[in-house]
Amino acid sequence: MLIEESYKDVATTADGQGSMRIFLFHPVIHGYPQAKFPGVVVFSEIYQVTGPVSRFARQIAGQGYIVAAPSSYHEFTGPEPLAYDVPGTDAGNDWKIKKKVAAYDEDSQLAVSFLLGLKTCSGKVGATGMCLGGHLAYRASLDPRVQAAVCFFATDIHSSTLGLGKNDDSLKRAGDIKGELLMIFGKSDNHVPPEGRDLIRKTLHDIGVNFSFYEVSGAQHAFIRDELSKGRYDPAITKVCFEMLLELFGRRLKLDLGEPSGEKLVIEDVC
């Protein structure tokens, strides 16, 4: 499927008057100008919308989804990506905890509204992201308009340390999630230690969130980032995880499942 790329600057108010650039990756089927597609918000890591994030967005768009990728640090800098070097990493980590949680949430709400406002959007929206973006995809799922979210190695959920004051309420609000989650971590991810992953999984399970949880043996933090400066990219595992993303988005965003019945599945205890 072919893709058209553009961008839209939208006004923001959560931390003063400003604007956020949303990069758009739109599928195109020749001869079908009325075609409608589900939407997906792709949240970036701390480096904004880099080459690896854009390529990830294109892969999703090429499967028949309109992808919107917001520039997360518009309060501090332009929409250009940060470099995968020490100054870029330091700036990204610094802005991550200087930005207000309310501003992160406004960005998400604006991106979802932008997708739903497109005449080519089917009316169903999902979210995904990596690192910081994994956490933001999780927070996006607190919005009832978001029906599915795939969170790759989401940082700071277990420690509640996102944003200004390092005191987010993401895990406390897990009960607000009405869609379906897929949480993916590498078992060798030292950004989210085993006890942190255990806390996330147990909290989601105890609250009754509809979720899947996958820990990849040997995978490090940022293993889907196809940029080799840090030596973490694992293309084989990335392919498997992308298929999991497509399964969830295909089932929750492309199919019309209607409203859930609430009926509990009774599973017979036999082999």
Side-chain angles (χ1 to χ4, degrees):
M1 195 173 297
L2 299 180
I3 304 166
E4 290 182 349
E5 298 185 21
S6 60
Y7 65 83
K8 173 75 171 180
D9 292 326
V10 299
T12 61
T13 60
D15 193 12
Q17 299 293 323
S19 68
M20 172 181 67
R21 178 157 298 179
I22 300 176
F23 295 92
L24 186 66
F25 305 81
H26 199 299
V28 176
I29 302 177
H30 179 71
Y32 292 89
Q34 307 297 324
K36 293 182 181 294
F37 308 92
V40 173
V41 183
V42 168
F43 294 98
S44 71
E45 51 194 349
I46 62 169
Y47 303 96
Q48 299 213 103
V49 184
T50 60
V53 174
S54 294
R55 289 189 287 274
F56 179 60
R58 291 185 190 113
Q59 288 185 59
I60 297 172
Q63 298 295 325
Y65 299 90
I66 307 170
V67 176
S71 53
S72 292
Y73 290 149
H74 52 89
E75 292 90 350
F76 312 108
T77 189
E80 299 79 15
L82 302 177
Y84 289 116
D85 57 14
V86 172
T89 301
D90 289 346
N93 280 322
D94 182 46
W95 293 334
K96 181 181 73 170
I97 57 174
K98 284 185 175 178
K99 179 162 177 150
K100 297 176 181 178
V101 172
Y104 282 121
D105 290 344
E106 182 189 50
D107 291 352
S108 174
Q109 292 157 10
L110 288 171
V112 172
S113 295
F114 171 66
L115 285 170
L116 291 174
L118 297 174
K119 65 180 182 180
T120 50
C121 182
S122 68
K124 293 186 178 182
V125 174
T128 187
M130 57 190 78
C131 189
L132 163 66
H135 192 152
L136 298 181
Y138 173 98
R139 285 196 70 87
S141 68
L142 301 174
D143 184 334
R145 298 177 298 173
V146 174
Q147 295 169 290
V150 181
C151 308
F152 288 94
F153 33 88
T155 54
D156 303 308
I157 293 178
H158 70 288
S159 56
S160 302
T161 52
L162 177 67
L164 187 64
K166 301 175 70 173
N167 187 31
D168 70 76
D169 60 355
S170 298
L171 210 53
K172 294 176 183 177
R173 292 186 58 194
D176 292 340
I177 297 172
K178 305 306 179 187
E180 184 173 346
L181 282 183
L182 170 57
M183 308 293 294
I184 300 176
F185 293 96
K187 292 197 75 173
S188 297
D189 186 340
N190 54 11
H191 288 66
V192 187
E195 58 271 21
R197 301 194 295 269
D198 289 344
L199 174 63
I200 295 170
R201 182 174 53 248
K202 185 177 188 305
T203 301
L204 296 175
H205 176 76
D206 289 349
I207 290 177
V209 176
N210 185 9
F211 77 102
S212 299
F213 200 99
Y214 184 44
E215 293 180 274
V216 187
S217 177
Q220 302 179 52
H221 186 70
F223 67 85
I224 70 169
R225 181 202 296 152
D226 65 348
E227 194 275 343
L228 302 180
S229 67
K230 296 184 170 74
R232 299 172 184 168
Y233 176 50
D234 189 325
I237 294 301
T238 296
K239 179 182 177 183
V240 172
C241 293
F242 191 71
E243 290 297 326
M244 297 171 70
L245 175 149
L246 293 181
E247 187 282 324
L248 175 57
F249 285 172
R251 180 164 44 82
R252 295 303 300 257
L253 303 181
K254 285 189 174 178
L255 297 179
D256 186 358
L257 299 177
E259 292 298 319
S261 67
E263 178 184 0
K264 290 188 177 181
L265 175 64
V266 178
I267 301 174
E268 189 176 359
D269 189 16
V270 295
C271 294

